[in-house]
């Protein structure tokens, strides 16, 4: 049996679509708050949330890609993931 598109199953296409919807909403709220002014902390938090959501979804999908590959792919995955996480956290702390 094949799954019809638009069913209730989770697919890469659905995840990508809903992720872009959530990111667009966060960006719109960000734009509105930046235009109003005085919401610097909230804008920073919204950007952090959008980045975290995107990284989590991409990390899960990337793991699904490398999980059945040789060990070197898994090592590369974790190295790259650590670099991405450090690239997000270090500038926020400094």
């Amino acid at each position: 049996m094949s799954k019809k598109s638009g069913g209730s199953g989770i697919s890469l296409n659905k995840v990508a679509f809903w992720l872009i919807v959530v990111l667009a909403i966060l960006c719109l709220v960000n734009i509105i708050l930046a235009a109003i002014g005085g919401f610097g902390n909230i804008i920073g938090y919204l950007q952090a949330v959008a980045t975290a959501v995107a990284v989590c979804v991409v990390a899960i999908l990337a793991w699904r890609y490398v999980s059945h590959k040789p060990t070197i792919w898994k090592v590369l995955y974790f190295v790259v993931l650590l670099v991405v996480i450090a690239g997000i956290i270090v500038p926020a702390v400094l």
Side-chain angles (χ1 to χ4, degrees):
M1 289 184 195
S2 65
K3 235 191 256 184
K4 293 182 179 181
S5 63
S8 62
I10 296 175
S11 71
L12 179 59
N13 297 338
K14 269 188 196 175
V15 170
F17 174 77
W18 288 110
L19 177 60
I20 201 76
V21 168
V22 169
L23 293 176
I25 291 168
L26 289 173
C27 286
L28 284 174
V29 171
N30 235 357
I31 291 168
I32 292 167
L33 291 177
I36 294 171
F39 293 98
N41 288 342
I42 295 173
I43 292 170
Y45 293 140
L46 286 176
Q47 288 174 340
V49 168
T51 301
V53 168
V55 168
C56 287
V57 170
V58 170
I60 291 167
L61 294 174
W63 177 251
R64 288 176 58 189
Y65 175 71
V66 301
S67 65
H68 302 295
K69 294 202 176 283
T71 304
I72 189 68
W73 283 89
K74 295 171 187 163
V75 170
L76 179 63
Y77 167 82
F78 285 112
V79 168
V80 169
L81 187 59
L82 287 174
V83 169
V84 169
I85 291 170
I88 293 169
I89 292 174
V90 171
V93 173
L94 296 178

